[in-house]
Amino acid sequence: MKIVVTGGLGFIGSHTVVELQNEGFNVIVVDDLSNSSESVLDGIFNITGKKPAFEKLDLREKSAVQTFFKKYNDVVGVIHFAASKAVGESVENPLLYYENNINALVYVLQELTKLPQANFIFSSSCTVYGQAGKMPITENASIQPAMSPYGNTKKIGEEIITDVAKVTNVNSILLRYFNPIGAHPSAEIGELPIGVPQNLVPFITQTAMGLRNQLSVFGNDYPTSDGTAVRDYIHVVDLAKAHVIALKRLLDKKNIEKVETFNLGTGTGSSVLEVINTFEKVSNQKLNYQIVGRREGDITEAYANTDKANTILGWKAQSSLEDALASAWKWEKKIRS
């Protein structure tokens, strides 16, 4: 079965391609290489023994998307990762985020509706919950006004998919991630941020390697156990496996509704300082960090209630925070060696 993975050379995309190929799927990767590298294909090959088909493509170019789906008119599903994803950057450059995250989604869906099978897995985010009133967050939690343009693109994206599914052959699963971290245990693929990392863990590993002088901890005056923000950090391989399970659910026509939603997390919240302390323990590295002011768009805490994914998908996160941080450190050391 042919599956398109947009943004398939990115962090979560590449790990999902590995899991798809391990399950026997025929994968076509679409990526514009704006925040990834073609060398990731070699890492995927080294793990699976197979290199996926690759098309360099900017999904903001409608005619290019049309041409792509004419060429691959026998695909049975799309897993859509391609998007810009940094909260801070989205606050500074909202139009980039609306163009990249919304236009590309619309163009892909337009072509997907023309195919006999239109199964669509959407890379969404717990940001759609904003600062939820109750922890852990269930899928029934109210969708809050977005705290950032990035969060808004995920909220709008979910609404677009829901509207499209009502009147077309599209069946979709929306996967709301919490905070993906780590790398493949082989250290053949991992997170490869271009420029200054926007996420905590790559900034930690780069600081430990000496690439960054100091790690900034944004705020220590939150109403949490140690004053730093709390998030649910999930190993990227666990997250990737959930995509394959969700896709199979659609292919096997086991979905109860045209659009289904699942939280993907560990169900446990960890503060920024807890992540730093755990990293220091697994890596035997002392981190140079300083407390600075809060960052615009950040919320106090977010961690998942994963009962729905555990029960209906039969999926559960397997790896610990220690496992994930150790794999991220192994990956960082490999790419700097």
Side-chain angles (χ1 to χ4, degrees):
M1 288 184 172
K2 284 188 183 173
I3 306 298
V4 174
V5 180
T6 72
L9 298 185
F11 177 40
I12 307 167
S14 60
H15 287 82
T16 302
V17 170
V18 163
E19 298 304 324
L20 286 166
Q21 293 197 160
N22 284 343
E23 291 290 317
F25 287 99
N26 191 346
V27 181
I28 304 110
V29 169
V30 172
D31 206 295
D32 68 355
L33 303 178
S34 62
N35 199 29
S36 57
S37 166
E38 201 166 342
S39 65
V40 175
L41 290 167
D42 298 326
I44 293 169
F45 174 79
N46 291 342
I47 298 167
T48 65
K50 184 180 180 186
K51 198 174 272 195
F54 171 58
E55 298 277 348
K56 186 184 177 192
L57 182 65
D58 186 339
L59 294 172
R60 294 174 296 183
E61 295 175 9
K62 184 172 182 173
S63 60
V65 178
Q66 291 171 331
T67 301
F68 171 85
F69 277 98
K70 283 195 183 82
K71 181 177 178 181
Y72 296 100
N73 60 5
D74 55 348
V75 302
V76 296
V78 173
I79 303 181
H80 185 59
F81 294 104
S84 303
K85 63 180 180 63
V87 168
E89 183 186 47
S90 78
V91 173
E92 293 164 10
N93 195 348
L95 286 175
L96 169 73
Y97 274 66
Y98 287 116
E99 181 188 35
N100 206 27
N101 296 6
I102 301 300
N103 290 13
L105 171 65
V106 168
Y107 299 153
V108 170
L109 285 172
Q110 282 174 337
E111 298 312 305
L112 190 61
T113 59
K114 300 172 187 174
L115 301 180
Q117 288 203 59
N119 300 301
F120 191 73
I121 307 293
F122 182 58
S123 168
S124 192
S125 168
C126 64
T127 57
V128 300
Y129 299 118
Q131 180 53 72
K134 189 179 169 193
M135 296 293 141
I137 302 170
T138 71
E139 289 83 355
N140 294 327
S142 60
I143 303 301
Q144 301 287 342
M147 304 278 284
S148 68
Y150 162 71
N152 206 28
T153 64
K154 291 301 181 186
K155 178 171 168 275
I156 294 166
E158 288 193 0
E159 291 168 352
I160 290 169
I161 294 162
T162 302
D163 287 342
V164 169
K166 284 175 188 168
V167 294
T168 68
N169 60 340
V170 169
N171 286 277
S172 181
I173 293 180
L174 314 175
L175 297 176
R176 292 176 180 162
Y177 316 156
F178 281 67
N179 290 61
I181 61 169
H184 195 271
S186 65
E188 288 289 347
I189 56 173
E191 195 162 6
L192 258 182
I194 291 174
V196 179
Q198 301 280 341
N199 296 334
L200 176 62
V201 171
F203 213 113
I204 284 175
T205 57
Q206 288 190 13
T207 303
M209 280 300 289
L211 269 74
R212 308 283 161 201
N213 293 329
Q214 196 170 54
L215 171 70
S216 293
V217 175
F218 297 102
N220 67 343
D221 58 347
Y222 286 103
T224 60
S225 60
D226 59 22
T228 62
V230 168
R231 299 288 183 270
D232 186 336
Y233 295 94
I234 176 173
H235 196 302
V236 66
V237 174
D238 283 334
L239 188 65
K241 287 177 176 173
H243 288 75
V244 182
I245 293 168
L247 178 68
K248 285 180 173 178
R249 180 173 171 81
L250 293 182
L251 292 171
D252 295 342
K253 298 183 167 42
K254 288 183 177 173
N255 52 309
I256 307 298
E257 299 170 86
K258 291 272 286 176
V259 179
E260 296 182 328
T261 305
F262 296 94
N263 285 340
L264 297 180
T266 65
T268 303
S270 303
S271 73
V272 174
L273 287 181
E274 284 173 325
V275 174
I276 289 171
N277 293 336
T278 304
F279 176 81
E280 289 182 336
K281 187 174 79 178
V282 300
S283 67
N284 291 318
Q285 301 289 316
K286 198 75 187 143
L287 281 173
N288 178 26
Y289 67 89
Q290 67 167 348
I291 308 292
V292 297
R294 293 187 187 190
R295 185 171 53 178
E296 190 178 352
D298 279 347
I299 58 173
T300 302
E301 61 179 347
Y303 55 97
N305 178 315
T306 60
D307 291 350
K308 188 178 176 187
N310 300 162
T311 306
I312 296 175
L313 292 181
W315 169 90
K316 190 172 174 58
Q318 302 296 323
S319 298
S320 66
L321 181 62
E322 287 85 353
D323 295 333
L325 291 170
S327 68
W329 181 230
K330 183 181 176 184
W331 163 250
E332 187 71 52
K333 287 189 291 186
K334 184 199 173 191
I335 59 176
R336 306 302 170 193
S337 61

